Amino acid sequence: MSKISNGSGRNQPDRTLLEERKLELCRASEERHRPVAVQVYVSPITSGAALRWVNAEGCVNPSLWKPAALDGSHAHALREEVLNLAGAVLAQRGFTYARGAYWQPAPAERDIARPTTSEVAVVPTRAYLDLQMRRFGPAPEIPEVPGVTFETTQRGQWKATVRDGRSFLLTWTPQLEGDRWIVWGGEQHSNLIRPATTSLDKALFVLRHPSHAR
């Protein structure tokens, strides 16, 4: 039967409070910078295009939201091909168009027939909101694994000691397309152990059968 430890010491409650406070601040920052609109900008000189993010405060490309380059050469910011590329980036990042919204020249745009900048309102998808819940909510609980002892080293990381005394590091990274679970082994846990690179079940299989950890 596995045993899970959250660490020891009189400072554990303090560390927990600090972590909760940090998560609370990070959640607030994500919400503050979360895009409510996006812009497509096409350079009149190079014809290159980029998708830019706009938050509720009107800040373009707020913290952690770098512009995304769009492939190809484009005549202006309302051409179908460049807007399709922008839509694909939106989907990858977990956003979709707001109900009733459509691409149009940005408010400050002078040339409405061939604008260099177009804009549309966006909203996060359910998958994006679920990701933020996982990022800033309680860390996952590791199920019991016969013969394995887990010790939490930091949020999203557990030291796993198996029957033969070897230790591994189990890491969790929440992602939009599916959370990533990885087992690391070797000296200072610097070696990626396969096949535990995608799911918790695969990671726990390696720890349950450490002979597979090569």
Side-chain angles (χ1 to χ4, degrees), residues 29-63:
S29 177
E30 187 281 322
E31 292 178 350
R32 184 171 65 254
H33 295 300
R34 183 184 299 172
V36 298
V38 291
Q39 295 178 344
V40 164
Y41 171 74
V42 174
S43 169
I45 298 176
T46 67
S47 298
L51 181 68
R52 306 191 297 200
W53 312 88
V54 184
N55 69 1
E57 298 174 350
C59 178
V60 178
N61 299 324
S63 177

Side-chain angles (χ1 to χ4, degrees), residues 144-158:
E144 292 186 350
V145 179
V148 184
T149 299
F150 293 97
E151 178 184 352
T152 303
T153 58
Q154 64 182 58
R155 180 178 171 81
Q157 292 190 5
W158 298 264

Side-chain angles (χ1 to χ4, degrees), residues 53 70 78 93 100 140 150 158 189 194 207:
W53 312 88
L70 303 174
L78 280 179
R93 297 292 294 270
F150 293 97
W158 298 264
H189 302 139
R194 298 187 180 278
L207 297 174

Side-chain angles (χ1 to χ4, degrees), residues 195-212:
T197 57
T198 51
S199 72
L200 177 59
D201 287 343
K202 288 183 179 181
L204 296 182
F205 177 84
V206 169
L207 297 174
R208 188 165 58 248
H209 305 285
S211 60
H212 290 264

